[in-house]
Amino acid sequence: MSSNVSNYAIDVVNLSKRFGDGLAVNSISFQVMRGEFFGFLGPNGAGKTTTINLLTGLARPDEGRIYIGGVDCTHNPKAAQHLIGIVPDESNLYPELTGLDNLLFCAALYGMPKSEREQKAIELLDKFSLSSFAARKFAAYSKGMKRKLTIAAGIIHNPAILFLDEPTTGIDVASARQIRQLIADLHDRGTTIFITTHYIEEAERLCERIAFIVNGSIVRVDHIQDLLQPEQALHVILLTVVNAMPNLGEQLSAAFPQFDLKTLSTDQIQVQSNRQIHLFPLIKFLEEHGVEVIEARRKRTSLEDVFVKVTGIELDAMRKEKQKSGAS
């Protein structure tokens, strides 16, 4: 058993999972402290869902060990079932049952006493603004309503650890905002949260610590602030221009070698330096070459910037994934 395993809600040691000839999860190790909000961040196909399936007993590992709440679940996933709640990326509720009946059924599966089931179900329907839809069949729910009821089903037994796989993918903005708040409230009450997402700004907003996973391997695990701090020491300015010539980036780099200059598009230039950036010489140079600067603004370093730097995956690829998923 891992040292200090009792301090961990989740302890993963050299975990691997193969599908055919491919390694979906490649010897990953990490720990999640009790009461922590932990994010598992990466693009689609990186291994996020496979990892969460391994941790929740929906898949069996080929190698490695899994401890949940100090319990060795490697070969007996049900050993810690009473400790965890699961919100899968696709709802596992029954379309022919009503919202209330789905919650009552899940409560029974978790072994809740019959006397407590209905009271807790009604309480959650109210909390998730679904009371007026309690008697409606789940199949008739909107995407946002389905997601909220799925989360309600996952927490009806008050689990110590909640696993959420892409909880806000493909739903409307208002529902996504409400779900984030509900998850944050659960964490404030002491629930350990393990969330997978490819929405980088969502992870930055919610999580205390994150792991970056790419092609089945973890490339970095750290606290949000520790990831951002080195980047925040940099000065970054975005210039929006018109009438830019094709080789503008090369000319700027030659004229201002002290800056790290990058042409982001035909009308946008990024200027980066570890020292204060004085705009006047830059703007003067551009105007002398017939380029008009219509906006200059300072850029706040985000987790997206860190993700690109650590993984080498450009943000455009991530944004295309968001568009495919239908999320706003």
Side-chain angles (χ1 to χ4, degrees):
M1 182 178 289
S2 297
S3 62
N4 298 322
V5 71
S6 61
N7 295 326
Y8 302 136
I10 303 166
D11 187 13
V12 173
V13 184
N14 299 326
L15 196 64
S16 293
K17 180 65 178 178
R18 295 177 181 85
F19 292 107
D21 295 330
L23 261 176
V25 174
N26 185 9
S27 191
I28 64 173
S29 298
F30 64 90
Q31 293 78 38
V32 179
M33 302 300 292
R34 294 178 187 271
E36 186 173 25
F37 202 131
F38 187 87
F40 215 55
L41 183 61
N44 285 340
K48 301 188 304 297
T49 294
T50 300
T51 299
I52 211 170
N53 286 345
L54 291 168
L55 299 182
T56 57
L58 298 176
R60 296 293 180 93
D62 294 316
E63 297 169 9
R65 304 202 73 81
I66 300 167
Y67 301 94
I68 304 293
V71 179
D72 189 344
C73 299
T74 309
H75 303 295
N76 183 15
K78 292 186 178 180
Q81 191 172 23
H82 60 292
L83 296 174
I84 68 173
I86 307 167
V87 181
D89 58 341
E90 296 290 339
S91 177
N92 56 353
L93 300 184
Y94 292 92
E96 69 276 12
L97 295 183
T98 66
L100 176 60
D101 286 341
N102 263 299
L103 292 185
L104 293 174
F105 180 72
C106 289
L109 286 179
Y110 283 119
M112 288 181 66
K114 192 172 183 180
S115 58
E116 296 178 16
R117 294 174 200 166
E118 188 164 354
Q119 179 183 345
K120 184 65 175 179
I122 291 171
E123 176 188 317
L124 285 171
L125 286 166
D126 180 60
K127 182 178 180 61
F128 283 72
S129 304
L130 294 172
S131 295
S132 56
F133 306 99
R136 181 181 295 186
K137 288 186 177 181
F138 185 70
Y141 278 28
S142 68
K143 282 185 178 181
M145 290 162 59
K146 285 179 177 178
R147 208 73 187 122
K148 286 189 281 187
L149 193 74
T150 304
I151 294 173
I155 64 172
I156 195 163
H157 60 306
N158 295 317
I161 306 165
L162 181 62
F163 293 92
L164 299 121
D165 194 4
E166 304 281 359
T168 60
T169 295
I171 62 175
D172 62 275
V173 173
S175 293
R177 187 180 299 117
Q178 186 181 14
I179 285 170
R180 289 188 193 106
Q181 186 59 55
L182 289 164
I183 295 168
D185 290 345
L186 285 170
H187 175 245
D188 289 342
R189 294 203 296 271
T191 306
T192 302
I193 306 287
F194 182 99
I195 183 172
T196 72
T197 182
H198 64 265
Y199 292 176
I200 301 179
E201 65 273 22
E202 182 170 79
E204 183 174 0
R205 186 180 302 139
L206 291 173
C207 300
E208 296 167 296
R209 199 161 55 98
I210 62 165
F212 290 141
I213 183 169
V214 180
N215 296 326
S217 297
I218 291 179
V219 295
R220 182 85 178 266
V221 182
D222 217 332
H223 289 87
I224 295 284
Q225 287 308 311
D226 290 337
L227 287 165
L228 291 174
Q229 192 171 9
E231 301 300 316
Q232 287 172 340
L234 294 171
H235 299 274
V236 183
I237 289 178
L238 293 177
L239 299 175
T240 303
V241 301
V242 293
N243 302 325
M245 56 277 217
N247 61 343
L248 178 60
E250 296 173 11
Q251 291 193 34
L252 278 170
S253 296
F256 301 94
Q258 71 272 32
F259 297 145
D260 178 11
L261 291 137
K262 186 184 295 184
T263 303
L264 302 180
S265 63
T266 55
D267 63 352
Q268 197 166 66
I269 302 161
Q270 178 177 287
V271 186
Q272 182 174 292
S273 175
N274 55 8
R275 298 180 180 180
Q276 190 71 31
I277 298 171
H278 298 289
L279 282 175
F280 178 74
L282 276 166
I283 294 173
K284 183 180 178 184
F285 176 89
L286 290 167
E287 288 179 344
E288 287 175 351
H289 288 76
V291 180
E292 181 184 355
V293 179
I294 58 174
E295 184 185 30
R297 61 182 176 87
R298 297 195 180 279
K299 182 183 176 185
R300 183 188 73 86
T301 301
S302 70
L303 193 60
E304 288 190 342
D305 301 310
V306 178
F307 181 84
V308 172
K309 189 171 183 177
V310 170
T311 67
I313 296 174
E314 291 296 329
L315 298 184
D316 283 348
M318 300 287 281
R319 293 190 180 107
K320 285 175 184 174
E321 286 175 359
K322 293 181 189 182
Q323 291 165 4
K324 286 178 185 176
S325 69
S328 299

